[in-house]
Amino acid sequence: MTAERPNSVSEGAANASQRQASRDQPSQRPAAAAAGQYAPIQPRGDPNEHRQAMVEEQELENNQILSERRRRNTQAAARMRDRQRERERSLILRRDELMTRMKQLEAELTTIRAQRQQQE
């Protein structure tokens, strides 16, 4: 901020007397402010705009959380399907082994019955 230079000596003296007079006057603050009571601070800008930004930010955060949950759930479901397939394969193998063993035992039983009938 630059001060203007007075054009003449009389203008300089007038400016000096105005500055002195303004120093002698009490401050221009309201009476309530002088007593320590200030008016509430008014928000700048549209408060709804701020609320909307906060809501959008919260929605974005919720969407990120939701998408992360969905991703983890998809992975867990894939692992579960793999475990089920593996269990099914092992059960099929066990069934085939037992069927083979059952046929062997039936064949053995048939031969034992045939030998027994020959002995009688």
Side-chain angles (χ1 to χ4, degrees):
M1 194 167 146
T2 60
E4 293 182 16
R5 297 186 72 174
N7 292 335
S8 67
V9 176
S10 63
E11 284 183 26
N15 287 340
S17 64
Q18 286 175 353
R19 283 192 304 267
Q20 183 64 34
S22 67
R23 281 188 220 139
D24 294 340
Q25 291 178 354
S27 66
Q28 298 296 323
R29 292 189 297 175
Q37 298 173 355
Y38 293 97
I41 298 173
Q42 297 298 320
R44 289 178 283 178
D46 184 11
N48 291 329
E49 188 176 306
H50 178 69
R51 283 189 198 105
Q52 183 64 32
M54 293 295 288
V55 167
E56 288 172 1
E57 184 178 325
Q58 187 67 33
E59 287 176 358
L60 179 63
E61 186 176 313
N62 289 344
N63 288 341
Q64 289 172 342
I65 291 170
L66 187 61
S67 66
E68 177 64 19
R69 282 184 183 170
R70 285 180 179 152
R71 184 186 64 79
R72 287 190 312 218
N73 188 52
T74 301
Q75 291 174 344
R79 288 191 304 270
M80 184 65 185
R81 287 189 297 270
D82 290 343
R83 283 194 299 267
Q84 287 174 337
R85 283 187 207 111
E86 185 58 38
R87 183 171 182 268
E88 186 178 341
R89 282 188 211 110
S90 68
L91 288 173
I92 289 171
L93 288 174
R94 178 80 173 133
R95 181 203 62 190
D96 292 345
E97 290 170 0
L98 290 173
M99 294 290 281
T100 304
R101 178 74 175 136
M102 184 181 73
K103 287 179 183 179
Q104 289 171 348
L105 291 173
E106 285 176 348
E108 188 178 329
L109 179 64
T110 304
T111 56
I112 291 174
R113 281 184 180 162
Q115 288 174 356
R116 191 169 149 201
Q117 273 191 353
Q118 286 178 355
Q119 290 176 355
E120 289 179 6

